[in-house]
Amino acid sequence: MSSAKKDVKKITTHVLQEMKRRGEKISMLTAYDFTMAKIVDNAGIDVILVGDSASNVMHGHETTLPITLDQMVSHASAVVRAVNRALIVVDLPFGTYQGNSKEALNSAIRIMKESGAHAVKLEGGKEIRESVERILTAGIPVMGHLGLTPQSIYKFGTYNVRAREEEEAAKLLEDAKILEKSGCFALVLEKIPATLAAKVAAELAIPVIGIGAGNGVDGQVLVTHDMLGLTYEFSPRFLRRYLNLYDEINGAVKKYITDVKSKDFPNDQEQY
Ligand code: KIV
């Protein structure tokens, strides 16, 4: 390991909890490959999520359900090789933890052992409590995920805002408290009303990181491909695009094609 690697103050689950205590917001973005993870980490992001959104973004599936544990291990390993500072959290994919806490533990162990990541994320509340607790017995930090949980898309039927009704909001708050009590070190809240998200963040001691959950939480997460404008079909209200890379890349590729066809590329200086 280089001395530069050793000198960096790494982000740990304890650092995130300290950040919440002193009111410093937590920044989190996704990455699924070495190059993007290096850029995001060097920019100073606190948490990198190897999300199962890789199923959509990297593999072209319509939902997050098809991605496999082997594929998640492969994405996570590439990210781990790139990252020096950020905490790396990896999604346990659909079908590798629900309803069987022993399988959940085995899946989490595979992620940690084969990729070198730092923590896992699971979707769900009360119904995954046993899995969360069992994974924690192996010393593996767990991040929770409530609200819109894309692995349950066929139960919800839509990607609409969750927990607008009082009953669902009360259940979400109860689930959040269960996850905290079970030992989760942080929680993601996806696409829920901002007032509810702020209430959850205020009632929990662990950091609450939002996506489409307003500004009253302890941090924010976005899918990197969306915020860079590499994807263009997906435009929810909560998404702020910082670049329009789809158009930039499209333009560059078109220019390259023109240059090749017109014999402009390579020129005298670009050959041996
Ligand atoms: O898979 C993912 O990218 C996620 C974020 C949307 C939080 O879970």
Side-chain angles (χ1 to χ4, degrees):
M1 194 188 285
S2 72
S3 58
K5 272 210 160 193
K6 269 191 258 163
D7 289 347
V8 166
K9 184 174 182 325
K10 300 205 182 271
I11 304 292
T12 64
T13 57
H14 298 286
V15 169
L16 297 183
Q17 289 172 349
E18 266 309 305
M19 286 169 80
K20 169 156 184 159
R21 264 193 286 280
R22 53 171 196 269
E24 182 182 341
K25 298 278 186 182
I26 296 163
S27 60
M28 172 162 148
L29 281 172
T30 59
Y32 322 107
D33 67 276
F34 180 87
T35 304
M36 189 67 86
K38 201 165 215 30
I39 295 170
V40 167
D41 186 52
N42 284 343
I45 203 78
D46 297 315
V47 184
I48 292 181
L49 173 65
V50 185
D52 60 357
S53 49
S55 180
N56 314 94
V57 174
M58 303 301 284
H59 296 275
H61 295 297
E62 241 177 69
T63 72
T64 58
L65 277 69
I67 200 160
T68 66
L69 192 55
D70 283 344
Q71 286 171 322
M72 290 304 292
V73 167
S74 170
H75 288 298
S77 304
V79 168
V80 168
R81 285 193 283 275
V83 169
N84 195 17
R85 174 180 175 272
L87 183 84
I88 303 168
V89 181
V90 183
D91 267 333
L92 284 193
F94 174 71
T96 67
Y97 64 95
Q98 294 97 337
N100 183 340
S101 63
K102 212 164 171 190
E103 193 183 349
L105 175 60
N106 289 338
S107 303
I109 287 175
R110 272 206 62 200
I111 294 273
M112 302 296 282
K113 209 179 177 81
E114 295 178 32
S115 77
H118 309 134
V120 295
K121 176 163 82 60
L122 277 64
E123 293 182 7
K126 197 174 175 180
E127 66 282 4
I128 59 150
R129 178 185 205 150
E130 202 183 305
S131 292
V132 170
E133 287 173 352
R134 197 152 191 165
I135 291 169
L136 281 161
T137 63
I140 300 171
V142 178
M143 179 180 269
H145 184 157
L146 293 171
L148 177 63
T149 46
Q151 291 180 12
S152 306
I153 185 58
Y154 291 115
K155 186 175 97 183
F156 298 144
T158 74
Y159 286 99
N160 291 346
V161 177
R162 305 301 312 170
R164 278 195 195 277
E165 305 303 325
E166 224 172 89
E167 199 181 323
E168 196 184 341
K171 178 170 180 339
L172 187 141
L173 182 58
E174 189 194 323
D175 277 341
K177 288 180 177 169
I178 288 171
L179 290 175
E180 176 172 68
K181 210 158 168 229
S182 302
C184 283
F185 73 91
L187 175 65
V188 165
L189 291 180
E190 181 165 352
K191 223 171 169 186
I192 64 166
T195 45
L196 173 62
K199 185 173 161 66
V200 175
E203 294 198 17
L204 262 51
I206 58 172
V208 174
I209 299 171
I211 173 164
N215 210 359
V217 289
D218 307 304
Q220 299 293 328
V221 55
L222 285 175
V223 170
T224 302
H225 286 63
D226 296 335
M227 61 83 84
L228 294 180
L230 274 163
T231 53
Y232 63 92
E233 309 91 341
F234 181 65
S235 276
R237 186 206 293 204
F238 68 76
L239 176 60
R240 186 179 292 181
R241 282 196 211 285
Y242 288 82
L243 282 174
N244 201 340
L245 279 188
Y246 182 92
D247 286 345
E248 295 271 322
I249 294 173
N250 187 267
V253 172
K254 282 185 172 148
K255 179 83 173 70
Y256 169 74
I257 294 168
T258 304
D259 290 353
V260 170
K261 303 266 182 204
S262 67
K263 303 181 188 154
D264 178 77
F265 176 78
N267 63 24
D268 289 350
Q269 284 75 50
E270 291 163 330
Q271 61 192 355
Y272 301 99

